[in-house]
Amino acid sequence: MDTKRFSKLLMRSALSLAITATTLGGLAACSGEQKGIKPKADETAASVAAASDSNLLAQDFLLEGFDQGGIPASVQVNNGTANLVDDGAGGKALQVKLNLANNNSAGLIIQPAEAWDWSEYSDFNLAFDVANHGEESVQIDVTMGDKNGDFYTRGLVVPADGLSRTYYAKLHGHDQEDPEAAAQNEFNFASGLRSNPPTWQSDDIMLHSFWGKKLLDLSGITQISFGTDGSLSDRQYTIDNLRLRANPPMDENFLTGLLDKYGQNAKVDYEGKIHSDEELKKVVEEELASLSGKPNADRSKFSGWKSGPQLEATGYFRTEKFNGKWAIVDPEGYLYFSTGIDIIRLSNSSTITGYDYDQKLIPKRSADEVIAEDDQPLNRVDKAAWATRTLVSETRAKMFNWLPGYDDELGNHYGYRRETQSGPLKHGETFSFYSANLERRYGETYPESYLDTWQKVTVDRMLDWGFTSLGNWAAEPFYEQERIPYVAFADIIGEFGTLSSGFDFWHPVPDPYDPRFYQRSVVAAKSVSEQVENSPWCMGVFFDNEQSFGRLESDELHYGIVINTLTRDAADTPAKGAFTKVLREKYGTIEALNKAWNKEVKSWEAFEKGMDSSLTTDAQREDYATLLFEYGNQYFGTIRKAMKSVMPNHLYLGSRLPSWGMPPEIVKAAGKNVDIISYNLYEEGLVPSKWEFLAEIDKPSLIGEFSFGSDDQGHFHPGIVISADQKDRGRMFKNYMHSFIDNPWFVGVHMFQYMDSPITGRAYDGENYANGFVSVADVPYVELVKAAKEVHEDLYERRFGDVKPVE
């Protein structure tokens, strides 16, 4: 879901649980016969008995085969239909059709009347067969829940080719003697990857790990849901043979020797893989010969619509509602729509190597720093620390077939992370294969000359592909080229109070009522102002990213900031004092508040000290909504005041609200203060039913992140939204872009990200998604480039087609 994209995974969990919630009750146990094996009843019983004796499944144990006549009562479909169809082997399969054109989510749920108890089994997986006879690939998020309320979600994509494939999800690891070791090795705790490679080789397809508790209570599995959300059209698939299987023998080297010297998957070959420096040089020569480095003919100096009307020119980017559609207006007065790609920098290209250094020789972070750790450059350790290099994770170190010495020609691509958000190490050495490949591609005629070449080639690409801007987190040297507009970014970090929303994914949210928050906002604004230097090429500035403002699955998460703040003491929590003031002004007496909230607080003084904030009445819920809006208004208003005090000419682009964390009160508060509301949306595009509030807010909006990934280029995790292959990525890119270009409230769409994440995971959080426009060898993905050119060829005519062009 930078440090992104995992957040969308968490949103999907809410959707899956919501699907389940709508279909619970009155469901019966399922039964059936397995296709292909067709065991007799006594044989099935014998296999179960054998499994019980040894804790291993002697043969596949069928949960549902759909051959018993009629759809089982345990099967329900939300926003769709289910029908039995011939399976081609004399039995039946379940055809599921999902109404997604009119609904943001839909799915199949299988829930037994009594929870399944699989605790006696070990070393096994859940498998099922799926085929897609539709016209588009379909993503399915498989969520399993247990009797404790925990869940674990994995994802898969089914190509639209009509072929039946077997997909599986491990439920228990190979190590029967030491379950904790099995968890460490197979459920990502030791590897640090968002999703590991398979632990055995087969034609079956392992589901990609998404989110939730990986080790469920197998003594009580209450439901399995197959959810799909955020699609732009109806989808279908046929599912069959839901079964438990014993795991094949484990490949002891499944985490060993993963990468070659270019940072590519060393164990598989695929189209576009680089095998030698000579091959890489040839690829570079061919691409450079094809690049024009020029924008489309209908573009203005700042990539606006030169063929369209010319409005008031202010010398900077601004917004205006024109002919019923929100638009950005470029510095020369031309209509402008921002399209871009995020993460055009090296900061997120490095991966943890498994080595560390004497911490006494590593500079510590200070409260005065303005750049967050995951936004830092490679930050190679000082030479004095080299002699203390120590192996701290053999699992990580064995992933690499090659790493250079510090004195080697490519040793300058080592770095260091003083902090990590997640993964096997809290800090440690990193290496950037992407950066090393840039040096291989372009050579070095003076120190880091390859970076200067890369920056020029990258802008040439962006203009050649038709993009009108650089997305978030572009390296500062790109600002100096003055060839394509860009957006800037600032984290507000340092010493100030924080609050909890009850779901503090990246970190707790700021207390914007704390005077120190305004002071640090000014520091952040001054820092980004020094980078931008009042340039007209800067379209605007994002402050902060994906704050945990609240989730909508429950009142407790929706109003979590308010609920948790009210329990605190106003003496050390400025937000508590501000909330108390609002409530005293409304109710006057504590008795009036007690009556409305059904509470027994003795006095306002006691209220300020901390109180039971659990929700009990509708009046209380209304007040919490008011307080959440007041919080948002203070947060966005404080940043706006700080930014405009030093950067009055640039647009305030908000904080890129994640789709899982955008309570309506926060969106409304953002609309009151920002120039453009920004969102991160990891779905197939804009589903109208989910965005009806845009008309009420009536503010220009921008997508800060989206992506589509596939695993056909050697990656172990395609990303949050999965494509079947590179061609499918191109199709989905076009559909996504068009859905927002056609919307009157959106003024820009930025894709995440420029280069693939490292196959062995980003250093900061282990994200290993194949979601880039270019590979780790900096080779563009042909189908994405083709799609981008097609989208941008008629970008402005499509967006402003009802506007009469200039003759």
Side-chain angles (χ1 to χ4, degrees):
M1 291 65 210
D2 178 39
T3 53
K4 334 305 139 319
R5 316 8 61 156
F6 189 54
S7 50
K8 171 56 175 77
L9 302 178
L10 294 157
M11 185 200 73
R12 285 182 180 274
S13 69
L15 292 171
S16 295
L17 292 177
I19 291 172
T20 302
T22 63
T23 57
L24 298 185
L27 304 181
C30 57
S31 61
E33 218 174 37
Q34 183 175 342
K35 306 295 190 298
I37 296 176
K38 299 291 184 182
K40 297 178 181 178
D42 57 342
E43 291 174 343
T44 303
S47 71
V48 175
S52 178
D53 291 339
S54 64
N55 289 335
L56 293 175
L57 288 162
Q59 68 178 52
D60 293 2
F61 177 48
L62 191 67
L63 297 175
E64 181 53 66
F66 305 107
D67 290 338
Q68 298 303 305
I71 297 175
S74 60
V75 173
Q76 297 289 327
V77 177
N78 183 52
N79 292 329
T81 61
N83 297 285
L84 293 178
V85 296
D86 292 337
D87 67 355
K92 296 293 183 180
L94 189 72
Q95 183 185 60
V96 180
K97 293 185 177 181
L98 304 175
N99 181 1
L100 289 161
N102 300 313
N103 298 283
N104 192 65
S105 63
L108 164 71
I109 303 94
I110 299 178
Q111 181 173 4
E114 296 182 5
W116 288 300
D117 183 354
W118 302 333
S119 58
E120 61 186 305
Y121 307 142
S122 63
D123 200 7
F124 71 109
N125 65 85
L126 170 75
F128 48 88
D129 304 327
V130 186
N132 177 5
H133 297 280
E135 297 181 355
E136 297 175 284
S137 63
V138 57
Q139 178 169 339
I140 304 174
D141 295 345
V142 181
T143 299
M144 300 182 65
D146 67 21
K147 63 184 182 181
N148 303 317
D150 293 320
F151 62 86
Y152 182 23
T153 300
R154 302 168 171 94
L156 67 130
V157 65
V158 189
D161 57 11
L163 299 178
S164 179
R165 296 174 175 84
T166 297
Y167 298 83
Y168 69 91
K170 282 187 294 185
L171 300 178
H172 188 275
H174 290 83
D175 195 332
Q176 302 168 48
E177 300 299 325
D178 187 350
E180 286 301 317
Q184 291 291 327
N185 289 331
E186 298 186 60
F187 289 96
N188 308 34
F189 304 137
S191 74
L193 307 183
R194 288 283 173 85
S195 193
N196 280 335
T199 56
W200 66 80
Q201 299 302 312
S202 76
D203 292 332
D204 298 345
I205 303 169
M206 185 178 76
L207 274 63
H208 302 288
S209 176
F210 274 0
W211 68 92
K213 185 176 181 180
K214 295 178 173 62
L215 298 177
L216 295 176
D217 185 343
L218 297 178
S219 69
I221 299 299
T222 57
Q223 59 92 18
I224 305 173
S225 70
F226 300 80
T228 300
D229 62 87
S231 297
L232 297 177
S233 59
D234 293 344
R235 302 297 164 84
Q236 63 169 282
Y237 58 86
T238 301
I239 188 169
D240 202 2
N241 299 329
L242 192 70
R243 59 200 185 274
L244 304 182
R245 310 184 307 178
N247 294 332
M250 179 179 179
D251 175 5
E252 299 293 341
N253 296 316
F254 81 102
L255 287 175
T256 299
L258 300 182
L259 298 191
D260 64 16
K261 69 176 185 177
Y262 300 103
Q264 305 167 127
N265 190 325
K267 296 186 176 184
V268 299
D269 206 2
Y270 49 85
E271 184 178 354
K273 186 175 182 180
I274 299 299
H275 301 88
S276 66
D277 289 1
E278 293 72 25
E279 185 178 347
L280 181 60
K281 292 285 188 182
K282 183 179 179 181
V283 169
V284 173
E285 290 173 3
E286 292 175 352
E287 185 198 2
L288 294 185
S290 70
L291 286 177
S292 69
K294 297 179 181 179
N296 292 9
D298 69 341
R299 306 291 170 83
S300 69
K301 173 183 177 181
F302 294 95
S303 294
W305 190 26
K306 187 171 62 176
S307 302
Q310 192 167 15
L311 310 180
E312 178 186 359
T314 63
Y316 294 92
F317 285 94
R318 63 182 182 86
T319 61
E320 179 178 329
K321 201 168 191 179
F322 185 79
N323 279 15
K325 297 178 180 179
W326 276 106
I328 302 174
V329 180
D330 79 9
E332 296 181 322
Y334 294 106
L335 294 171
Y336 175 84
F337 190 93
S338 177
T339 65
I341 308 178
D342 297 329
I343 308 289
I344 309 181
R345 66 179 186 182
L346 300 182
S347 300
N348 307 101
S349 68
S350 63
T351 190
I352 291 285
T353 64
Y355 291 86
D356 208 342
Y357 299 83
D358 185 343
Q359 292 301 293
K360 296 177 182 177
L361 301 175
I362 303 297
K364 306 302 180 188
R365 288 189 60 83
S366 73
D368 295 329
E369 292 193 40
V370 296
I371 301 177
E373 188 65 18
D374 61 317
D375 294 327
Q376 297 278 345
L378 296 185
N379 284 353
R380 193 167 187 250
V381 298
D382 188 86
K383 190 171 184 177
W386 294 3
T388 70
R389 187 174 188 247
T390 304
L391 177 65
V392 292
S393 173
E394 186 176 5
T395 297
R396 290 294 303 182
K398 284 185 175 181
M399 293 180 182
F400 311 101
N401 284 335
W402 172 90
L403 285 173
Y406 263 71
D407 288 325
D408 289 354
E409 184 179 10
L410 297 176
N412 54 306
H413 301 284
Y414 278 107
Y416 194 86
R417 279 288 171 261
R418 296 170 291 180
E419 298 174 359
T420 61
Q421 190 259 355
S422 59
L425 302 177
K426 296 300 182 184
H427 43 73
E429 177 188 88
T430 68
F431 186 79
S432 172
F433 286 93
Y434 181 80
S435 179
N437 287 334
L438 294 181
E439 185 170 343
R440 290 183 175 115
R441 286 174 64 95
Y442 304 121
E444 191 171 39
T445 55
Y446 55 83
E448 297 189 338
S449 64
Y450 56 87
L451 289 181
D452 292 338
T453 305
W454 170 64
Q455 289 154 12
K456 179 185 181 304
V457 170
T458 297
V459 175
D460 286 348
R461 285 172 172 172
M462 295 293 288
L463 294 173
D464 202 60
W465 299 343
F467 288 97
T468 64
S469 67
L470 304 181
N472 201 21
W473 294 299
E476 188 176 340
F478 284 99
Y479 300 177
E480 302 166 4
Q481 295 207 25
E482 297 189 343
R483 297 173 58 205
I484 188 170
Y486 62 87
V487 293
F489 173 81
D491 265 320
I492 304 174
I493 57 178
E495 295 292 339
F496 50 78
T498 60
L499 307 172
S500 174
S501 67
F503 179 78
D504 306 324
F505 182 72
W506 298 113
H507 46 67
V509 294
D511 182 344
Y513 297 94
D514 185 338
R516 295 175 296 174
F517 179 71
Y518 175 73
Q519 295 167 6
R520 294 303 296 176
S521 297
V522 171
V523 170
K526 287 182 176 178
S527 174
V528 75
S529 178
E530 291 171 359
Q531 300 170 25
V532 170
E533 296 182 325
N534 203 35
S535 170
W537 291 90
C538 177
M539 190 194 84
V541 184
F542 297 106
F543 284 82
D544 288 339
N545 181 65
E546 294 193 337
Q547 296 279 21
S548 298
F549 289 128
R551 299 168 63 93
L552 300 183
E553 299 96 276
S554 67
D555 284 341
E556 287 70 27
L557 288 174
H558 184 164
Y559 305 113
I561 291 175
V562 176
I563 291 171
N564 290 303
T565 299
L566 290 179
T567 66
R568 295 173 60 171
D569 190 335
D572 55 23
T573 308
K576 175 60 177 297
F579 288 176
T580 303
K581 181 179 179 182
V582 170
L583 295 170
R584 291 191 74 161
E585 289 176 353
K586 176 177 180 177
Y587 288 105
T589 66
I590 196 65
E591 289 76 15
L593 180 138
N594 282 334
K595 182 178 180 180
W597 288 17
N598 192 27
K599 299 293 182 183
E600 297 180 355
V601 184
K602 294 182 178 180
S603 65
W604 283 113
E605 291 72 23
F607 184 93
E608 285 192 321
K609 288 290 184 182
M611 51 86 67
D612 169 19
S613 59
S614 57
L615 266 168
T616 55
T617 70
D618 290 339
Q620 191 178 5
R621 185 175 292 102
E622 292 176 7
D623 289 338
Y624 282 14
T626 297
L627 294 177
L628 186 59
F629 170 80
E630 290 296 333
Y631 169 87
N633 190 46
Q634 181 73 13
Y635 171 81
F636 291 110
T638 298
I639 298 174
R640 179 181 183 85
K641 178 181 177 182
M643 175 188 169
K644 297 297 183 178
S645 70
V646 295
M647 301 182 70
N649 297 318
H650 295 94
L651 297 173
Y652 173 26
L653 306 179
S655 65
R656 296 154 47 92
L657 300 170
S659 54
W660 52 262
M662 41 183 272
E665 299 85 357
I666 294 294
V667 176
K668 182 179 178 182
K672 183 178 177 181
N673 292 281
V674 306
D675 295 309
I676 298 175
I677 307 178
S678 53
Y679 309 88
N680 292 347
L681 180 68
Y682 286 87
E683 294 184 354
E684 287 190 11
L686 188 149
V687 179
S689 62
K690 187 177 178 179
W691 295 86
E692 294 175 348
F693 67 88
L694 291 171
E696 180 181 352
I697 300 295
D698 196 21
K699 289 282 292 189
S701 299
L702 181 146
I703 292 297
E705 288 183 23
F706 76 96
S707 74
F708 305 104
S710 66
D711 59 7
D712 60 345
Q713 298 288 308
H715 277 70
F716 307 129
H717 202 313
I720 300 164
V721 184
I722 311 175
S723 304
D725 52 28
Q726 295 303 315
K727 185 175 181 179
D728 202 33
R729 290 185 75 198
R731 176 191 66 82
M732 296 174 77
F733 175 88
K734 288 179 62 176
N735 289 344
Y736 190 101
M737 295 291 289
H738 284 156
S739 73
F740 288 95
I741 293 169
D742 295 344
N743 185 275
W745 286 280
F746 278 89
V747 296
V749 190
H750 298 168
M751 178 179 172
F752 191 92
Q753 58 182 19
Y754 187 60
M755 75 284 287
D756 285 330
S757 291
I759 291 179
T760 49
R762 276 190 322 210
Y764 186 68
D765 61 0
E767 187 170 294
N768 59 334
Y769 301 160
N771 56 358
F773 235 81
V774 303
S775 72
V776 68
D778 197 43
V779 177
Y781 289 113
V782 175
E783 294 291 347
L784 271 183
V785 171
K786 178 183 176 183
K789 288 183 176 181
E790 292 174 354
V791 166
H792 290 113
E793 185 177 5
D794 67 345
L795 168 65
Y796 285 117
E797 287 81 359
R798 183 172 185 129
R799 174 64 178 179
F800 302 109
D802 54 345
V803 177
K804 185 178 180 181
V806 174
E807 299 294 338

